[in-house]
Amino acid sequence: MSLLLLAIFAVLLVLGAPVAVCLGLSSAVVIVVQGLPVSVLAQRSLNSLDSSPLLAVPLFIFAASLLNATGVTTQMFDLVRMIFGRIRGAVAQVSIFVSLIFSGVSGAALADIGALGKIQVDEMTRQGYRKDFAAGLTVAAATIGPIFPPSIPIIIYASVANVSAVKLLIAGIVPALLLTAFLMIQVAVIARMRSLPRDDIRPGAGDVMRKFMFSLPALFAPVLLIGGLLSGYFGPTEVAGVTVAYAMLIGIFVYRSLGPRKILAALRETTEATANILFVVATAALFAWVLTLDQVPMKVSALLLGVSENPLVLLLLVNVLLLIVGMVLESIAAILIIAPIVAPALTAAGVDPLQLGIVFVLNLMIGLLTPPVGMSLYMISIVARMPIGQVIAGVMPFFIPLILSLLVVTLVPALSTWLPETLMK
């Protein structure tokens, strides 16, 4: 049964069908062939969506869309440029740091690229950076978003793997900061080797303060979000709702740039993005259920534990598996299919569930930068209007800090576990 399922899925994927269609259609064919009730299709798909943590997904997307509609992203970019001053490669460093700031609201790599990609690439190319370098850095920096809270992939992983979503979100903070540091070190090295240009911005005495005061309400959004999670009074869904309300309030009453037309546009964007994500969630849950019927999770667990019972060895094996899966499968679909299969074996072997969740998501975010599926590559190709081959060439040097971050997070469990254990005893 599983072989038929995987064969149909692979054929549809090669033919270019959307991932959700591949998952749903292959599952439906197997269910019909096996003589199972057709009502299972609706039952299993809808049950997968009946999850409180998943409600946070559209809310975080909506909050990011509202803040982006205020125009504050451009102001934040200019503010950080003023702070970094005229160091060599400053605009490249600014692009990384702004991605970290915006990730505190967006929770998704594609949202970061959509909001900041054009600003980052245009400014770097205007100052003499090669366009492929600018695009490569932009997509590499966007991987910070799905690791730093509020991460949509982490919320989905938590709902599938039965891990505390709040603890897992907090567990992503240190790895995200580590990834940011490695990317900035890489840029500093490249800046010295290639003599990257210095920023040409020359702020006056009051310019930095004016930009800071303008950006302050938006900069407070990540503080509100993380503070709400740490307080224990809010879960991810409640924090997402508060963040939407806050974004709405500052957009209407502080920035005075959110009108009915922009709010409706943000709602439309949120609806489209949420529909795409939840379509994948529903069909992937059905796909995973068919695999469970054939006892695939149990067989894979036995296979992994038969190879080794050493947690580090198993984690390294899963790293390799996920890097390969990330090349051919969309990240959310990969989480929903692979996590229920491998997570029980690794936790049984002694891998901390929080560390496993961060390693899992980080692997698949690197997959967003790898062809043929690499959605981040296609997104920046559209935003920057450049050939996909040029984007791939530009991103290659940044696999060094990405893979290095993955290895460090894999080898040092405390990077993922220390903060949630310390703050949420």
Side-chain angles (χ1 to χ4, degrees), residues 105 189 192 242 244 275 278 347 357:
V105 179
V189 171
R192 183 173 293 274
V242 170
V244 167
L278 295 188
T347 51

Side-chain angles (χ1 to χ4, degrees), residues 136-304:
L137 175 61
T138 299
V139 293
T143 58
I144 299 168
I147 308 300
F148 197 82
S151 164
I152 291 171
I154 283 179
I155 291 171
I156 291 173
Y157 178 90
S159 69
V160 171
N162 295 318
V163 182
S164 167
V166 174
K167 286 186 176 181
L168 196 54
L169 287 168
I170 299 303
I173 293 177
V174 174
L177 295 175
L178 177 74
L179 176 56
T180 303
F182 281 159
L183 283 169
M184 295 181 85
I185 292 169
Q186 171 88 344
V187 167
V189 171
I190 293 175
R192 183 173 293 274
M193 291 173 59
R194 298 185 186 177
S195 296
L196 293 181
R198 302 177 188 274
D199 198 346
D200 58 10
I201 193 167
R202 290 177 173 80
D207 291 340
V208 176
M209 184 54 65
R210 278 193 295 271
K211 290 283 185 185
F212 177 74
M213 294 307 296
F214 183 89
S215 303
L216 184 60
L219 292 172
F220 185 69
V223 177
L224 175 69
L225 190 152
I226 295 172
L229 289 173
L230 292 177
S231 70
Y233 292 110
F234 300 121
T237 305
E238 292 82 2
V239 166
V242 170
T243 307
V244 167
Y246 179 75
M248 191 85 75
L249 287 172
I250 64 173
I252 295 171
F253 298 109
V254 178
Y255 295 123
R256 298 182 180 180
S257 56
L258 267 186
R261 185 172 297 178
K262 286 187 176 180
I263 293 173
L264 284 173
L267 280 169
R268 189 180 302 112
E269 182 181 330
T270 301
T271 302
E272 291 175 359
T274 304
N276 288 330
I277 291 171
L278 295 188
F279 187 23
V280 173
V281 169
T283 54
L286 187 63
F287 189 91
W289 180 76
V290 175
L291 289 175
T292 304
L293 277 184
D294 209 20
Q295 296 187 327
V296 171
M298 287 71 83
K299 292 174 183 176
V300 171
S301 293
L303 178 64
L304 286 173

